[in-house]
């Protein structure tokens, strides 16, 4: 069970995801995504999606943020926030399947996943848990 993460930290994660989204390299999809993770030591790491003409080499924002934390020596992620460009008919974007599996490698199933929507009125947040996205997950032995 994860310790309670303050509303202030959740808002900082959301803002960090929004801020990093502008650095997206997405010339093919034209779909920008930003992510921010909270590591166990309290550090926030960010990532954005980086596309490639060879689509299999594209890396999502969530994985870039998680990998940045792991590269810095933080292998336990307490929470993640994700901000995507608007999706027609949906308020919030969600992580892809590959990102969900990577999240399971470094996060507890009850870890907060904060979906962030940005519009003219400001930010809207929807807080879920990782287990809401991957109810039948592959897990470590």
């Amino acid at each position: 069970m994860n310790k309670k993460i303050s509303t202030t930290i959740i808002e900082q994660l959301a803002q960090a995801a929004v801020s990093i989204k502008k650095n997206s390299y997405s010339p093919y999809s034209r779909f920008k995504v930003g992510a921010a993770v909270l590591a166990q030591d309290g550090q926030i790491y960010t990532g954005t999606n980086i596309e490639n003409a060879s689509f299999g080499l594209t890396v999502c924002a969530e994985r870039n943020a998680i990998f940045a934390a792991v590269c810095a020596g933080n292998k336990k992620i307490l929470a993640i926030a994700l901000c995507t460009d608007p999706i027609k008919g949906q308020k919030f974007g969600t992580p892809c399947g590959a990102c969900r599996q990577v999240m399971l490698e470094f996060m507890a199933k009850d870890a907060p996943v904060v979906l962030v929507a940005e519009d003219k009125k400001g930010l809207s947040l929807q807080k879920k848990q990782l287990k809401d996205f991957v109810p039948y997950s592959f897990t470590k032995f």
Side-chain angles (χ1 to χ4, degrees), residues 7 11 16 20 24 36 39 41 54 62 73 95 99 106 115 126 134 139:
T7 302
E11 289 170 354
I20 195 67
S24 168
D41 69 356
S54 175
E62 301 93 308
C99 288
F106 298 100
L115 306 177
Q126 184 178 65
V134 219
T139 57

Side-chain angles (χ1 to χ4, degrees), residues 16-138:
V18 169
S19 294
I20 195 67
K21 186 175 87 162
K22 71 180 178 299
N23 293 341
S24 168
Y25 179 75
S26 48
Y28 306 102
S29 71
R30 292 178 173 50
F31 186 72
K32 295 179 185 235
V33 182
V37 298
L38 174 66
Q40 186 174 20
D41 69 356
Q43 291 279 71
I44 293 176
Y45 297 89
T46 59
T48 189
N49 56 322
I50 300 172
E51 296 179 349
N52 189 279
S54 175
F55 294 134
L57 300 178
T58 293
V59 182
C60 299
E62 301 93 308
R63 284 182 279 154
N64 275 327
I66 291 169
F67 295 162
V70 172
C71 285
N74 290 295
K75 295 181 181 76
K76 184 166 183 177
I77 305 301
L78 302 180
I80 187 168
L82 170 69
C83 182
T84 70
D85 275 348
I87 301 170
K88 188 174 182 173
Q90 298 178 33
K91 183 162 186 150
F92 300 99
T94 62
C96 74
C99 288
R100 293 174 192 201
Q101 187 60 47
V102 169
M103 290 162 65
L104 281 165
E105 189 73 18
F106 298 100
M107 297 171 66
K109 288 185 180 183
D110 63 349
V113 177
V114 181
L115 306 177
V116 184
E118 183 182 26
D119 61 23
K120 296 173 191 166
K121 297 177 187 175
L123 298 183
S124 298
L125 307 180
Q126 184 178 65
K127 189 175 166 187
K128 296 188 166 282
Q129 293 182 326
L130 181 54
K131 65 185 174 188
D132 296 328
F133 295 100
V134 219
Y136 304 104
S137 60
F138 293 102

